[in-house]
Amino acid sequence: MLVSGMYSLRYINIAMVTILKNVTNILTAIGELYIFRKHQNQKVWVAMFLMIISAISGGITDLSFDSVGYAWQFLNCVLTASYSLTLRQVMDKAKQLTRSGSLNEVSMVLLNNLLSLPFAIFSILLFGEWQYIVNADVIRMPMFWVVATASGLFGLAISFTSMWFLHQTGPTTYSLVGSLNKIPISIAGLLVFNVPLSVPNIFSILFGLFAGIFFARAKMS
């Protein structure tokens, strides 16, 4: 999930990434329907339809369209939905198989990161990134280590809060609340990175943000 997300950001701008992430909500809701037999109301499905339209229109009007980036992002949507659904299943399983009836957030974060280490090491060797890391000049800069450490701490905080939130709610609610942060991220991405935009593309992004908000309201009703 993390690797595919990073690769998608290499090819497409942040605003389009946040809009395309709406597809994750749709996949998660469908997964909940088949795995947990959890039905959504009619407003939620209307919101999902709006999200599909926003993703398609965003891709058509994207001036910096890159098929490789879009492929990575759609793969990321599938993996993100699978991650939240699997995590919810693990939590439900823990209720049956542990004495306490649950796994606390510390245990979940520890297990989650330990199990990802073999895949991370394999990916580093597969893509030849170890040589790059050893030879890169950037690792000799103190500011790099400050930023990298801060990024690691933020990632740890995200893991803890994600585990707690999923424990308290469900995968679809987890996805829709995450969709609300698309507004500041999209605006910041457009301003900071000076992304080339057209008027239709701006409207597509705004429509996608509206669809995400409508999805959240529909889910809460």
Side-chain angles (χ1 to χ4, degrees):
M1 179 183 71
L2 293 174
V3 170
S4 60
M6 290 178 184
Y7 270 99
S8 69
L9 280 171
R10 287 181 61 181
Y11 300 98
I12 53 181
N13 64 70
I14 293 176
M16 283 310 305
V17 166
T18 54
I19 297 307
L20 293 171
K21 277 184 175 292
N22 281 334
V23 177
T24 302
N25 297 334
I26 300 168
L27 296 174
T28 305
I30 294 172
E32 273 200 309
L33 177 64
Y34 285 98
I35 297 172
F36 302 107
R37 304 298 177 186
K38 186 175 181 180
H39 295 271
Q40 310 294 340
N41 61 52
Q42 191 173 5
K43 290 181 180 179
V44 170
W45 292 110
V46 171
M48 291 182 187
F49 178 71
L50 294 177
M51 288 176 180
I52 294 173
I53 294 174
S54 70
I56 294 172
S57 61
I60 293 171
T61 59
D62 187 5
L63 296 179
S64 56
F65 179 86
D66 190 293
S67 58
V68 175
Y70 274 67
W72 275 113
Q73 184 52 50
F74 281 116
L75 176 63
N76 176 257
C77 291
V78 173
L79 294 173
T80 303
S82 302
Y83 173 73
S84 58
L85 290 167
T86 305
L87 206 54
R88 182 73 246 186
Q89 277 189 308
V90 170
M91 289 178 175
D92 291 344
K93 202 80 172 178
K95 291 180 181 179
Q96 304 170 7
L97 301 178
T98 58
R99 292 180 180 179
S100 61
S102 66
L103 284 173
N104 60 42
E105 286 73 24
V106 176
S107 300
M108 290 294 292
V109 170
L110 179 63
L111 290 170
N112 194 50
N113 286 283
L114 282 177
L115 290 171
S116 69
L117 277 178
F119 176 75
I121 294 169
F122 173 76
S123 299
I124 290 170
L125 296 174
L126 178 67
F127 293 107
E129 291 188 1
W130 181 252
Q131 283 186 323
Y132 171 78
I133 294 171
V134 172
N135 298 319
D137 293 331
V138 71
I139 64 170
R140 297 175 181 85
M141 297 171 58
M143 186 52 67
F144 168 79
W145 290 105
V146 171
V147 174
T149 303
S151 175
L153 292 173
F154 282 129
L156 186 63
I158 290 171
S159 294
F160 274 109
T161 52
S162 297
M163 299 294 180
W164 178 84
F165 196 88
L166 263 174
H167 185 72
Q168 300 297 321
T169 59
T172 304
T173 307
Y174 170 76
S175 295
L176 73 88
V177 172
S179 69
L180 295 178
N181 68 11
K182 289 180 174 63
I183 298 173
I185 291 175
S186 297
I187 295 171
L190 294 174
L191 295 176
V192 173
F193 297 101
N194 196 23
V195 177
L197 291 170
S198 63
V199 174
N201 190 232
I202 292 173
F203 277 109
S204 297
I205 292 170
L206 292 174
F207 185 73
L209 296 174
F210 164 76
I213 295 170
F214 182 72
F215 181 82
R217 287 183 62 85
K219 194 71 175 65
M220 293 174 183
S221 63

